[in-house]
Amino acid sequence: MKGGRRSVAPVPPTQKQVNMPGIDRPDFKDRRDFMKSAGLAATGFAALPLVGCDTQSRVSLDQRGASNPLAIPRLQAGTIERGERVFRLSLTPGEKEFVPGTPSPTIGIDASYLGPTLEMRRGEQVRFHIDNKLAEDATVHWHGFELPATADGGPHQLVRPGERWSPSFEIRQRASLYWYHSHTHRRAGPQVYAGLAAPIYVRDEEEDRLDLPSRYGVDDIPLVVQDRVIDSSGRLVYPLNMHSRMMGVIGERIYVNGTANAVFDATAGPLRLRLLNGSNARFYTFSLEGDRPMQLIASDGGLLAAPREIRSLTLAPGERAQVIVDLSEGRPLRLIASSPANAMGMMGGRGRGMMGGGMTGRGDSGDASADVFQILDIRPASSAQRIRVPTQLASLAPPDLSSAVRTRRFVLDMGMMGGGMSINGAAMDMDVINERVPVGQWEIWEIANASMMAHPFHIHNVQFRVIDRDGRAPPPLETSLKDTVIVNPREQVRLLLRFEEHTDPDLPYMYHCHILEHEDAGMMGQFVVVKS
C-alpha cells in the first residue's frame, strides 16, 4: 500500500440504454463489469431487480396496508468462553415479503433479513466467529467502535464465500446504541440495502446506576429505520441510475426493523426508543405527531450530560439517538418523520436548515414538498407510569481545544451529476494511505463541504466531540460523543478527536460519507494510526 496523497481527476459519468427499455445503466465495458461494480454478480441476492428511478413518490403518511406488530430483533448476548464473550454469526441469503405474498431475495445475519441485536458490556473482551454463506465477498464493520484495524471490518477485511472471520477486541465504548453492517468496497450500498445490518447494545455501570428504561423489547426498543423501493409487483428493487448515484438510493416505503406500518403495544412506561437511521441515503427529522415533547438522552457514542426536551430530531444515515417518550396520559402516540423531497438539500437554501439546523427546533423547513412518513404507532397500557428522567446523565467535560497539537482539513466534493465523488480532490484508492495519524495526540479535523448536498461524515475507530459549525455552537445531539456528523452544503464542521491505541503502520481505517452510494463511488479515504 502506498503512502501519501494522490489527486484523482473526477471523471464525468456517461449513460446509455442497453437491452432493457426504461432502465439506466452506467457505461461499463460490458454487463459483467456493471454487475461486478454494483455488487450483484454471483451473489445470493443477484435476482434483486435494478430499476430506473428518476423521480420519488411523495408519501403523506404510509398507510397503504394494515398495521403490523413491530418486529423486535432477537437479543443475542453470546456465550462466555475462556474469559471472552463469544458470538457465532452467519451471513446468509434469504427471502422477505416486503409486500405480503411477494418474496424478494435478501441478506440476513442469522435471519432472512437484518440480524440479531448483539449485547455486550464495556470492558469485556469479545470474539466473533462470522461464517460467510453468501455467494460473494462480504465484510462486517463494527460501526462506532474503537478497535484494532485488523478487526475493523472495513474493505480490507474481506470474508470470502465459505470462509470464517474471527476478530477479537476489547469493548472500550460507553453504553449506547451501535450497529454492525457491510462495508464491502464498492458494494456496501447493495449489501446493506439487501439486509446486512443490525443493532448493537453496549451497556456499562455508569448507565446502570441511572435506572433508565432498559428491559429489551419491553421499555427499551431499537428502531432501525430504512426506506426501500418496491416495484409495482411488490418486489424489492435496488435502483442504479443517474439519480441514485447522485442522491443515493432513496425509497418511497418505510420499514422499521423490517416492519411496514409498525405498531408497538407498550406494557410499561416511560418508553425508551433507540433510533438508528439505517437507510442508504435518506435523512429523517423525527417528531411525535401533535408536537408532543420527547426527552433526548443519548447520541451515537453515549449519554448526554443532561436530558434535553426536544420536539424534533434530525438523523442522517449512520447516526443514532435515544429518546424517552412519556406514556403516562395513556393516549396513543405516533412517531413520524419528515424528509425533504429534494433529497437532502441538493439545491441548498431550505435543505441547509433541514439537515443541521433542524436539530434544535422543529426540524421543519416549511417546504410543502417534504415527505412525511409514519414510523411507529405506540399504544400505551392504561397503567403507564409518569416519566422520570434523571437530571444528570453522564460526566462530560467541554472540548478542550488547547490540547490539540495539529489541524487536518477534509473537503468533500462531488462533480456534476454525481460524478467525481472525492475527499481532498481524491477518490478512494485501496492502495493509498491518505493520512498518518499519531496515536494518543489530540487533533482538530475540519470537515468542509464544497458540494451543494449534505453529507454525513463518519470516522472509524473513534468517538469525537463536535466543536462548532461555521463557528456556531453545536445543537443538543452533538454535545456528547459522536462518530458520524452531518456537514451541510458550503458548511465547515470542526471536530476534536484522539486515537488512543491500536497502532498499525500498514492497515488503515476509513473516513467517508455515510450515504452508501457516495461511499461506493469514492467519497472515502484511508488513514493509519502510528506510534507518535
Side-chain angles (χ1 to χ4, degrees):
M1 187 173 294
K2 296 169 285 198
R5 305 183 187 180
R6 185 177 71 189
S7 296
V8 178
V11 179
T14 57
Q15 291 273 324
K16 66 177 181 180
Q17 299 291 112
V18 289
N19 300 327
M20 303 178 70
I23 298 180
D24 294 330
R25 293 287 189 265
D27 192 12
F28 289 106
K29 295 178 184 177
D30 54 34
R31 182 172 173 80
R32 175 177 291 182
D33 284 352
F34 166 73
M35 295 296 284
K36 182 177 180 181
S37 176
L40 299 173
T43 72
F45 60 104
L48 201 67
L50 300 172
V51 299
C53 191
D54 294 325
T55 60
Q56 299 296 327
S57 302
R58 287 190 62 237
V59 181
S60 63
L61 284 181
D62 193 352
Q63 297 175 322
R64 288 169 289 191
S67 297
N68 300 299
L70 174 70
I72 305 295
R74 177 172 57 90
L75 186 66
Q76 185 177 141
T79 58
I80 303 299
E81 301 176 17
R82 299 178 181 178
E84 293 183 319
R85 187 174 295 277
V86 179
F87 296 88
R88 290 174 169 82
L89 304 168
S90 295
L91 314 181
T92 60
E95 284 189 341
K96 175 178 171 56
E97 294 184 3
F98 291 88
V99 173
T102 307
S104 296
T106 53
I107 287 177
I109 308 160
D110 286 353
S112 59
Y113 182 74
L114 302 179
T117 297
L118 306 183
E119 184 179 53
M120 55 200 72
R121 294 190 68 85
R122 186 180 186 184
E124 289 183 327
Q125 189 74 19
V126 296
R127 182 176 298 275
F128 300 88
H129 298 298
I130 299 175
D131 295 311
N132 184 2
K133 297 182 179 180
L134 305 174
E136 71 155 344
D137 296 342
T139 65
V140 178
H141 169 55
W142 315 105
H143 184 122
F145 284 75
E146 301 170 40
L147 71 184
T150 54
D152 183 52
H156 292 277
Q157 287 82 55
L158 280 179
V159 189
R160 305 287 184 184
E163 293 186 354
R164 171 177 289 181
W165 183 47
S166 298
S168 176
F169 52 91
E170 179 189 354
I171 303 301
R172 296 176 51 85
Q173 289 64 241
R174 295 184 180 217
S176 198
L177 172 66
Y178 303 90
W179 63 312
Y180 57 115
H181 61 81
S182 170
H183 210 302
T184 310
H185 187 42
R186 295 180 179 172
R187 288 173 285 185
Q191 287 188 346
V192 170
Y193 191 85
L196 208 169
I200 298 176
Y201 275 31
V202 172
R203 301 190 186 272
D204 64 19
E205 292 182 2
E206 181 183 28
E207 186 182 286
D208 292 346
R209 289 193 293 266
L210 295 173
D211 196 29
L212 294 167
S214 59
R215 290 175 292 171
Y216 183 82
V218 179
D219 59 7
D220 183 352
I221 312 297
L223 300 180
V224 183
V225 181
Q226 301 169 306
D227 58 336
R228 293 294 181 260
V229 178
I230 308 297
D231 69 12
S232 59
S233 70
R235 284 170 58 85
L236 176 69
V237 293
Y238 182 78
L240 268 181
N241 53 31
M242 185 69 74
H243 183 277
S244 64
R245 284 195 301 277
M246 179 172 63
M247 300 292 195
V249 170
I250 300 172
E252 77 283 357
R253 296 201 188 188
I254 299 297
Y255 297 86
V256 183
N257 301 344
T259 308
N261 305 303
V263 175
F264 180 72
D265 288 310
T267 58
L271 185 64
R272 180 182 188 175
L273 302 178
R274 303 196 189 216
L275 293 163
L276 161 60
N277 184 344
S279 293
N280 281 35
R282 188 183 285 278
F283 290 56
Y284 301 94
T285 296
F286 296 97
S287 62
L288 291 175
E289 197 170 64
D291 200 31
R292 303 282 295 278
M294 303 177 285
Q295 295 291 323
L296 175 67
I297 62 168
S299 60
D300 297 342
L303 295 170
L304 277 61
R308 298 288 295 268
E309 182 174 296
I310 59 170
R311 304 282 172 163
S312 64
L313 174 74
T314 300
L315 295 180
E319 285 191 298
R320 290 92 64 210
Q322 299 178 46
V323 297
I324 292 183
V325 177
D326 188 353
L327 303 179
S328 62
E329 293 184 6
R331 293 189 298 166
L333 296 177
R334 171 170 288 175
L335 182 67
I336 60 175
S338 63
S339 188
N342 68 355
M344 300 158 291
M346 186 62 196
M347 303 310 292
R350 295 176 188 263
R352 190 178 173 95
M354 280 293 296
M355 296 307 103
M359 294 185 211
T360 55
R362 290 282 306 130
D364 188 342
S365 68
D367 185 351
S369 65
D371 295 334
V372 177
F373 298 100
Q374 173 184 324
I375 303 298
L376 179 68
D377 279 342
I378 303 168
R379 299 188 298 212
S382 58
S383 59
Q385 299 174 357
R386 183 168 296 278
I387 188 170
R388 289 192 181 97
V389 181
T391 56
Q392 297 296 318
L393 297 174
S395 176
L396 287 170
D400 180 10
L401 303 190
S402 66
S403 61
V405 300
R406 68 179 53 81
T407 297
R408 299 177 194 266
R409 184 172 175 82
F410 301 86
V411 180
L412 315 180
D413 206 355
M414 51 193 294
M416 294 299 294
M417 303 306 291
M421 299 287 179
S422 66
I423 300 178
N424 289 343
M428 169 65 179
D429 187 330
M430 290 279 282
D431 294 325
V432 173
I433 300 296
N434 303 95
E435 304 286 341
R436 294 185 178 274
V437 184
V439 70
Q441 295 185 1
W442 288 101
E443 298 190 356
I444 294 173
W445 284 24
E446 297 176 348
I447 319 301
N449 185 355
S451 78
M452 292 301 292
M453 181 173 181
H455 301 283
F457 189 76
H458 173 50
I459 308 172
H460 290 205
N461 188 44
V462 74
Q463 290 291 326
F464 52 73
R465 302 294 298 275
V466 179
I467 301 169
D468 55 31
R469 292 177 165 274
D470 285 341
R472 300 184 302 274
L477 182 64
E478 297 176 350
T479 58
S480 185
L481 297 167
K482 294 280 292 172
D483 54 57
T484 307
V485 65
I486 297 171
V487 189
N488 291 303
R490 309 301 184 186
E491 183 181 48
Q492 175 177 284
V493 178
R494 292 198 303 160
L495 314 174
L496 181 67
L497 53 82
R498 176 176 67 177
F499 300 95
E500 297 184 356
E501 60 175 351
H502 304 312
T503 62
D504 190 320
D506 301 311
L507 195 57
Y509 302 98
M510 307 291 131
Y511 52 83
H512 59 88
C513 175
H514 217 283
I515 294 173
L516 297 183
E517 286 69 36
H518 291 183
E519 170 190 327
D520 286 347
M523 193 176 285
M524 181 161 62
Q526 303 190 112
F527 69 97
V528 291
V529 178
V530 297
K531 294 179 180 179
S532 54

